[in-house]
Amino acid sequence: MRNYRHIEVRPIAGALGAEIAGVDMARDLDDEVVAEVRRAFLDHLVIFLRDQKVTPQQQVAFARRFGEPIEYPQLKGLPEAPMITPVVKLEHERHNFGGIWHSDTTYLPEPPMGSMLLAREVPPYGGDTMFANQYLAYEALSEGLRKTLEGLVGISSSTKADVTRTREDALKQAGAGATPKTLQAEHPLVRTHPETGRKALYTSDAHTACIKGWTEAESLPLLRFLWQHQVRPEFTCRFRWEVGSLAFWDNRCAMHNPINDYHGFRRVMHRITLAGDRPRV
Ligand code: SIN
């Protein structure tokens, strides 16, 4: 276990995820504290803070210590803080935004490096979010399959049917009229993390449409195997939200999946997305 001077880091599962104590997002943090939080983020892939009492502006200021906030495609930000995207499920709604295993917006040429999600209103039960470690998923593959994946490129699309369904209520709330245009990008199925140098699987059922140069029929058997493999229980953790909880995940090596098991209750989250780079082999 790594030693920290300013923060306390408590892993919540064997695979990934740690709760951090000793950080108040509302305060102007010391560089040393920020460096330790970043170290914990790189080691644990997703970190959680509890009981944060912050205004939207303070949330944005905190996010800026770790990266560059960017707007989320297709959804409007808060009027008072446009870099914050509300992720809301209302009492009468059935779909939860992003309710499928995914890495965020891999259909962009430079997908985000990470996202920060702050819980503003939570249901009395349910609405947890699961995360999965894609370094472990990659490392658990046979040497033979790891060799096969070398050089393979996945084509991500923003309009696969299952993920499109999860956005329907959010787009209605945002008053979006026209059907969003299709966004597409090509990325290696295995990427090397630019900060840790580790290799991670980089595909998802939500966004990967096929393998470049392969037909869909040829691609799907291999992709479906990877999509099942990459979220095996031993690669995951599950986070129970409370008002004031913040999750900060590394989109380059972790996937996530919010559980849709709280129909009839409201869940309101404020999300900031941080700019990333082009995934490299
Ligand atoms: C998302 O994919 O950004 C939503 C995560 C969540 O609601 O827990």
Side-chain angles (χ1 to χ4, degrees):
M1 290 280 269
R2 199 182 283 279
N3 277 331
Y4 294 92
R5 285 186 50 222
H6 303 281
I7 61 174
E8 214 180 296
V9 178
R10 302 182 207 116
I12 67 161
L16 78 169
E19 287 201 19
I20 308 288
V23 176
D24 180 353
M25 285 170 61
R27 295 182 51 184
D28 191 12
L29 299 177
D30 253 33
D31 290 348
E32 278 187 29
V33 175
V34 172
E36 287 200 349
V37 172
R38 188 161 198 107
R39 192 65 256 163
F41 167 74
L42 293 174
D43 285 351
H44 297 277
L45 291 65
V46 53
I47 54 174
F48 309 102
L49 307 181
R50 294 275 189 195
D51 301 320
Q52 299 296 319
K53 293 179 183 65
V54 278
T55 63
Q57 288 74 17
Q58 287 169 326
Q59 190 189 348
V60 175
F62 176 80
R64 282 194 201 285
R65 301 300 304 273
F66 297 92
E68 181 202 338
I70 49 171
E71 283 181 34
Y72 190 88
Q74 308 170 33
L75 292 179
K76 277 210 197 84
L78 295 180
E80 70 276 27
M83 290 302 161
I84 296 185
T85 308
V87 173
V88 179
K89 182 171 176 242
L90 300 174
E91 290 82 341
H92 64 277
E93 292 178 338
R94 304 301 285 180
H95 302 297
N96 67 333
F97 178 75
I100 181 171
W101 277 109
H102 65 286
S103 295
D104 287 327
T105 56
T106 62
Y107 43 78
L108 298 177
E110 295 187 348
M113 78 90 157
S115 296
M116 291 185 176
L117 196 67
L118 178 70
R120 294 290 186 186
E121 289 181 59
V122 296
Y125 54 79
D128 297 357
T129 303
M130 295 190 70
F131 297 88
N133 181 330
Q134 297 309 291
Y135 297 135
L136 291 186
Y138 172 73
E139 288 158 11
L141 296 173
S142 66
E143 205 187 318
L145 184 48
R146 290 204 301 261
K147 258 209 138 19
T148 303
L149 294 177
E150 269 174 29
L152 292 186
V153 169
I155 300 186
S156 285
S157 163
S158 62
T159 46
K160 285 189 77 179
D162 286 351
V163 77
T164 301
R165 216 167 291 126
T166 77
R167 294 190 204 112
E168 279 168 8
D169 287 328
L171 290 172
K172 264 188 235 146
Q173 280 171 32
T179 312
K181 68 174 193 290
T182 302
L183 303 169
Q184 271 202 0
E186 298 180 3
H187 299 303
L189 288 181
V190 176
R191 73 179 290 185
T192 303
H193 193 289
E195 291 181 78
T196 66
R198 291 178 71 186
K199 284 180 190 266
L201 264 186
Y202 196 61
T203 174
S204 74
D205 189 3
H207 300 319
T208 313
C210 65
I211 297 171
K212 187 176 179 184
W214 296 26
T215 65
E216 200 177 289
E218 289 166 345
S219 305
L220 283 178
L222 175 54
L223 290 175
R224 284 200 180 112
F225 166 77
L226 294 175
W227 297 337
Q228 279 178 11
H229 165 83
Q230 69 188 166
V231 296
R232 273 168 36 187
E234 63 270 34
F235 305 147
T236 70
C237 71
R238 179 169 176 146
F239 184 63
R240 173 96 190 99
W241 296 94
E242 294 162 351
V243 171
S245 304
L246 178 101
F248 175 20
W249 63 83
D250 190 333
N251 200 49
R252 302 163 295 185
C253 54
M255 300 176 74
H256 57 284
N257 183 7
I259 310 295
N260 193 7
D261 59 351
Y262 57 99
H263 295 322
F265 297 107
R266 178 191 290 249
R267 181 176 182 270
V268 178
M269 318 294 272
H270 281 178
R271 177 186 150 127
I272 295 181
T273 307
L274 297 173
D277 59 358
R278 185 177 284 277
R280 305 266 173 226
V281 175

